[in-house]
């Protein structure tokens, strides 16, 4: 009786059968779990539990553990163990436990694990970095993208304070302290240890009391974007430089089909240029800025057997260094981001059978000087990113306004390249050393601009004398610009000394307002000065009262003197 009472009080359901499958014991918990009503002891177990695993245990003597069955919509966990006496099985004892709630929790846990795994996969598959800290700035979670930015494993960042990571140089500046201070979303540009530029946006996460509990930061690599932007800016500069060079080249082609000169020194230069035009020797043209080195180069090309082929000019000082190599030698498709798929020919290829003129050759970077030397020596080149050699058939002319010998001594220009370029040297003298060319150049430019603007002008002899005596630091280019200036700005038919810029009038360093060009009687000089003053005042004020105020005389005096000199308002 005592055993039976204890058996019935067992918390788990227990059912026992004998070796023949008859129920010999079933406690109250088992009846409730199995939905059994009434007395079952002495009945065949198959009548009560037809699909139970206990029958398998009776046959095999092997326990069946953690067997789940669904009974009346509940999940019942059963364990079936054999009862042995020696080697003989005398029955099976089965325990039952209701795990419906526990199974639901397990299923929820499994779903949670799967969801967590999925979120972890999404978290780490993000191309952008996701960096999460707590409200104090300690790192809680970091995705795999951070390894690309910082060169450290993501797990090595966990637990470290952002200020410590900044001290280690992983990124700068740190954004988290700013968010903790301002409690607002913040965006800035960071530099990383690996040399990348990243745009960073950090968002604070608040609890119900308004306290920051998390800072979630998203970072995107904009290094390539920055590089592309820089390349775009460089390309735009290159386009602008090309436009300038095209305009300059067009002007040269318009005005320099023949070189205008009467000086003996320039005639020698032109004779030598005509001689070297007949051969393919490399020519180095030296001279100050504006003397006409490009004009001489074009003249050599036009007189050569290559005149029917391209004449390509490139200003080595006007193209950004990082674009110079691809401009000169071209590139293969896919050599760098933004490159054309089919690649691009360089200027040496474009100039095939023609002439390439390298202006300001002294500005060519040293690394490209080596490649240019190889092109000159081998008559072939390799494009950027290419493996195959391309034959080059272009004559090279070069020009510089620098002292090349000094640059070679200072190791700023390769000596071997200098001698390769300087096969035939041509030194174009500055305009101040060939003053006899100034009158013919003035006449040439004057005719060209008068035809262009359909205006008739003359240069007064005294004005021409001032131009001849000026030193022209900008040489022929400066002279051409001055002639165009006076053609379009001077209203009078004759360009007088007073129409010239102050820097030419005061070229001797004087600050005088009146210029004496030659000895003459004082009376004539006084009359001429008076006439010029009245003319200049009339052009400026067109009113005799204002003229009188400016010249500090009476208006009647102005009228009388104008009449004496034959100056009338209608004359302007």
């Amino acid at each position: 009786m005592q055993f039976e009472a204890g058996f019935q009080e067992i918390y788990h359901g227990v059912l026992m059968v004998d070796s023949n499958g008859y129920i010999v014991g079933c406690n109250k918990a088992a009846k409730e779990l199995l939905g059994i009503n009434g007395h079952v002891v002495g009945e065949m177990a198959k009548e009560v539990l037809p699909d139970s695993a206990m029958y398998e245990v009776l046959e095999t003597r092997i326990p069946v553990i953690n067997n789940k069955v669904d009974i009346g919509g509940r999940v019942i966990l059963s364990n079936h163990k054999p009862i042995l006496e020696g080697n003989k099985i005398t029955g099976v004892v089965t325990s039952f436990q209701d795990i419906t709630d526990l199974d639901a929790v397990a299923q929820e846990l499994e779903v949670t694990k799967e969801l967590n795994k999925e979120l972890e996969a999404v978290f780490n598959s993000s191309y952008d970095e996701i960096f999460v800290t707590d409200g104090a700035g300690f790192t809680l979670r970091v995705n795999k993208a951070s390894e690309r930015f910082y060169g450290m494993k993501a797990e090595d960042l966990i637990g470290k304070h952002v200020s410590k990571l900044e001290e280690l140089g992983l990124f700068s500046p740190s954004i988290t302290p700013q968010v903790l201070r301002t409690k607002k979303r913040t965006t800035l540009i960071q530099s990383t240890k690996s040399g990348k530029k990243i745009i960073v946006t950090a968002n604070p996460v608040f609890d119900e009391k308004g306290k920051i509990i998390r800072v979630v930061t998203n970072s995107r690599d904009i290094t390539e974007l920055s590089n592309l932007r820089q390349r775009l800016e460089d390309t735009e500069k290159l386009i602008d430089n090309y436009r300038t060079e095209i305009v300059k080249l067009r002007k040269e082609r318009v005005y320099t089909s023949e070189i205008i000169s009467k000086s003996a020194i320039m005639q020698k230069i032109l004779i030598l240029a005509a001689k070297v035009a007949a051969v393919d020797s490399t020519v180095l043209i030296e001279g100050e800025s504006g003397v006409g080195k490009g004009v001489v180069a074009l003249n050599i090309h036009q007189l050569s057997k290559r005149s029917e082929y391209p004449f390509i000019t490139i200003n080595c000082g006007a193209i950004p260094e990082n674009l110079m190599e691809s401009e000169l030698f071209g590139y293969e498709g896919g050599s760098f981001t933004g490159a054309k798929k089919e690649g691009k020919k360089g200027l040496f290829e474009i100039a095939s059978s023609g002439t390439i003129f390298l202006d300001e050759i002294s500005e060519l970077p040293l690394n490209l000087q080596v490649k240019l030397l190889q092109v000159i020596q081998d008559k072939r080149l390799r494009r950027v990113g290419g493996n195959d050699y391309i034959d080059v058939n272009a004559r090279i002319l070069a020009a510089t306004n620098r002292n090349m010998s000094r640059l070679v001594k200072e190791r700023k220009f390769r000596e071997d390249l200098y001698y390769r370029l300087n096969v035939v040297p041509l030194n174009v003298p500055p305009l101040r050393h060939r003053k006899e060319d100034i009158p013919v150049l003035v006449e040439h430019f004057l005719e060209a601009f008068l035809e262009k603007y359909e205006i008739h002008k003359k240069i007064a002899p005294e004005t021409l004398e001032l131009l001849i005596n000026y030193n022209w630091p900008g040489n022929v280019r400066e002279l051409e610009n001055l002639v165009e200036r006076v053609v379009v700005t001077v209203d009078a038919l004759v360009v007088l000394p007073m129409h010239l810029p102050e820097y030419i009038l005061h070229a001797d360093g004087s600050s005088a307002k009146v210029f004496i060009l030659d000895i003459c009687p004082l009376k004539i000089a006084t009359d001429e000065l008076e006439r010029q003053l009245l003319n200049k005042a009339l052009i400026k004020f067109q009113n005799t009262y204002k003229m009188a105020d400016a010249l500090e005389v009476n208006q009647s005096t102005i009228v009388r003197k104008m009449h004496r000199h034959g100056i009338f308002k209608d004359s302007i």
Side-chain angles (χ1 to χ4, degrees):
M1 292 294 292
Q2 191 174 4
F3 171 79
E4 180 66 16
F7 180 74
Q8 293 297 331
E9 292 300 323
I10 295 175
Y11 177 76
H12 298 302
V14 178
L15 177 72
M16 292 185 294
V17 298
D18 62 15
S19 59
N20 296 315
Y22 287 93
I23 297 173
V24 295
C26 180
N27 69 354
K28 186 178 7 177
K31 288 182 179 182
E32 290 177 356
L33 290 173
L34 300 174
I36 299 173
N37 294 318
H39 187 70
V40 294
V41 174
E43 293 184 13
M44 284 292 292
K46 284 191 177 183
E47 298 295 329
V48 180
L49 298 169
D51 299 319
S52 177
M54 68 177 67
Y55 312 118
E56 182 182 338
V57 177
L58 283 172
E59 292 177 4
T60 64
R61 301 184 181 187
I62 298 173
V64 176
I65 307 299
N66 295 331
N67 183 43
K68 288 183 182 181
V69 292
D70 187 296
I71 300 176
R74 290 183 298 173
V75 180
I76 305 300
L77 181 69
S78 59
N79 294 311
H80 308 278
K81 296 180 180 179
I83 302 172
L84 300 172
E85 289 183 2
N87 291 327
K88 183 180 179 182
I89 186 168
T90 60
V92 175
V93 59
T94 301
S95 63
F96 302 94
Q97 183 179 0
D98 187 350
I99 61 166
T100 304
D101 295 336
L102 186 61
D103 190 68
V105 171
Q107 289 181 13
E108 287 181 9
L109 181 60
E110 192 64 32
V111 170
T112 302
K113 285 182 179 179
E114 288 297 320
L115 180 60
N116 188 59
K117 189 185 295 183
E118 183 180 342
L119 290 175
E120 189 73 15
V122 172
F123 185 76
N124 284 314
S125 65
S126 172
Y127 182 79
D128 295 340
E129 180 202 33
I130 303 173
F131 193 109
V132 184
T133 70
D134 63 15
F138 288 92
T139 309
L140 298 178
R141 295 179 70 86
V142 187
N143 69 348
K144 295 293 184 183
S146 64
E147 298 177 0
R148 189 174 71 252
F149 291 172
Y150 311 129
M152 270 181 79
K153 289 186 177 181
E155 52 265 32
D156 293 339
L157 301 173
I158 306 301
K160 292 184 173 60
H161 197 275
V162 290
S163 60
K164 182 64 176 177
L165 297 176
E166 186 178 15
E167 288 176 9
L168 293 173
L170 264 67
F171 47 74
S172 178
S174 177
I175 195 171
T176 304
Q178 296 186 35
V179 175
L180 294 175
R181 184 176 64 255
T182 62
K183 295 187 176 183
K184 294 180 180 178
R185 173 187 290 182
T186 304
T187 299
L188 53 77
I189 304 294
Q190 283 183 345
S191 299
T192 72
K193 188 176 183 179
S194 59
K196 293 185 179 295
K197 291 285 185 183
I198 57 177
I199 186 167
V200 185
T201 299
N203 293 279
V205 179
F206 301 90
D207 64 11
E208 62 275 12
K209 296 180 181 179
K211 181 181 178 182
I212 296 179
I213 56 172
R214 296 286 186 274
V215 176
V216 180
T217 302
N218 293 86
S219 305
R220 171 164 292 189
D221 186 357
I222 60 168
T223 307
E224 190 64 20
L225 182 62
S226 296
N227 291 340
L228 287 173
R229 181 180 295 167
Q230 185 60 49
R231 282 181 184 154
L232 177 60
E233 291 175 359
D234 290 341
T235 302
E236 289 173 347
K237 290 177 183 177
L238 180 61
I239 291 171
D240 289 338
N241 287 326
Y242 276 161
R243 289 194 187 104
T244 303
E245 291 298 315
I246 289 170
V247 171
K248 178 182 172 184
L249 186 59
R250 283 175 178 167
K251 288 181 71 174
E252 288 177 349
R253 287 185 181 277
V254 170
Y255 298 122
T256 59
S257 55
E258 59 175 323
I259 297 179
I260 308 302
S261 174
K262 281 191 175 180
S263 63
I265 190 169
M266 273 304 294
Q267 292 304 313
K268 290 181 180 179
I269 294 292
L270 295 179
I271 291 171
L272 181 56
K275 287 183 179 180
V276 299
V279 294
D280 272 347
S281 301
T282 304
V283 179
L284 179 62
I285 306 169
E286 297 182 278
E288 294 180 5
S289 179
V291 294
K293 298 185 293 294
V295 177
V296 173
L298 179 59
N299 184 255
I300 292 173
H301 170 74
Q302 290 175 336
L303 293 175
S304 74
K305 60 187 178 182
R306 297 176 180 267
S307 60
E308 299 300 318
Y309 297 97
F311 177 72
I312 303 297
T313 298
I314 183 166
N315 189 322
C316 299
I319 298 177
E321 184 175 339
N322 59 331
L323 295 178
M324 178 67 78
E325 184 175 8
S326 61
E327 285 300 311
L328 284 175
F329 308 115
Y331 58 78
E332 292 293 343
S335 301
F336 51 83
T337 303
K340 293 181 179 179
K341 291 182 180 179
E342 67 275 15
K344 175 189 169 185
K345 286 184 178 180
L347 293 176
F348 271 96
E349 290 181 69
I350 295 172
S352 180
S353 299
T355 304
I356 186 165
F357 175 47
L358 302 175
D359 199 6
E360 294 190 33
I361 187 68
S362 58
E363 304 304 316
L364 192 68
L366 285 168
N367 62 313
L368 294 185
Q369 291 180 23
V370 177
K371 195 162 184 176
L372 176 59
L373 179 63
Q374 292 173 344
V375 171
I376 296 173
Q377 291 178 162
D378 303 336
K379 302 294 183 183
R380 61 179 187 170
L381 59 82
R382 279 194 302 186
R383 291 180 178 179
V384 175
N387 297 315
D388 300 328
Y389 282 98
I390 299 171
D391 291 334
V392 172
N393 179 24
R395 182 183 190 175
I396 298 175
L397 304 178
T400 180
N401 59 6
R402 305 278 299 277
N403 186 323
M404 295 295 286
S405 299
R406 183 184 302 167
L407 291 178
V408 169
K409 289 179 182 178
E410 295 174 354
R411 298 184 180 275
K412 293 179 180 178
F413 199 88
R414 292 182 62 93
E415 184 176 20
D416 45 6
L417 176 59
Y418 171 62
Y419 289 122
R420 279 286 182 179
L421 293 172
N422 201 32
V423 175
V424 180
L426 281 178
N427 199 313
V428 183
L431 196 53
R432 62 183 173 274
H433 291 167
R434 46 187 175 107
K435 289 183 177 293
E436 55 266 53
D437 284 341
I438 294 175
V440 291
L441 285 169
V442 169
E443 183 181 356
H444 171 72
F445 292 138
L446 188 62
E447 289 179 0
F449 288 124
L450 293 181
E451 182 180 349
K452 178 179 179 180
Y453 298 115
E454 297 181 352
I455 301 174
H456 184 66
K457 290 279 191 308
K458 287 185 178 180
I459 303 291
E462 58 268 32
T463 305
L464 183 60
E465 188 170 349
L466 282 172
L467 297 180
I468 292 171
N469 292 327
Y470 180 58
N471 270 335
W472 299 105
N475 292 294
V476 179
R477 188 180 299 126
E478 184 185 4
L479 176 60
E480 179 185 0
N481 292 339
L482 177 74
V483 173
E484 183 174 13
R485 172 179 171 178
V486 296
V487 165
V488 299
T489 61
V490 174
D491 294 325
L493 295 177
V494 179
V495 179
L496 301 172
M498 65 180 182
H499 296 131
L500 296 178
E502 292 291 325
Y503 64 86
I504 292 180
L505 296 176
H506 300 141
D508 60 355
S510 70
S511 58
K513 294 287 186 181
V514 178
F515 295 90
I516 306 301
L517 299 176
D518 203 355
I519 298 295
C520 65
L522 187 58
K523 177 70 169 65
I524 295 175
T526 304
D527 286 346
E528 177 61 22
L529 173 61
E530 196 170 78
R531 185 184 65 79
Q532 288 190 30
L533 274 174
L534 290 169
N535 264 315
K536 197 171 186 67
L538 180 60
I539 290 171
K540 184 173 183 179
F541 299 110
Q542 302 182 25
N543 182 293
T544 56
Y545 290 97
K546 291 181 180 179
M547 291 170 63
D549 289 340
L551 299 177
E552 298 182 359
V553 294
N554 295 327
Q555 186 264 351
S556 59
T557 302
I558 293 293
V559 174
R560 177 169 47 80
K561 288 184 178 291
M562 286 176 63
H563 187 268
R564 183 161 66 86
H565 289 292
I567 299 172
F568 306 100
K569 284 188 178 182
D570 293 343
S571 65
I572 66 170

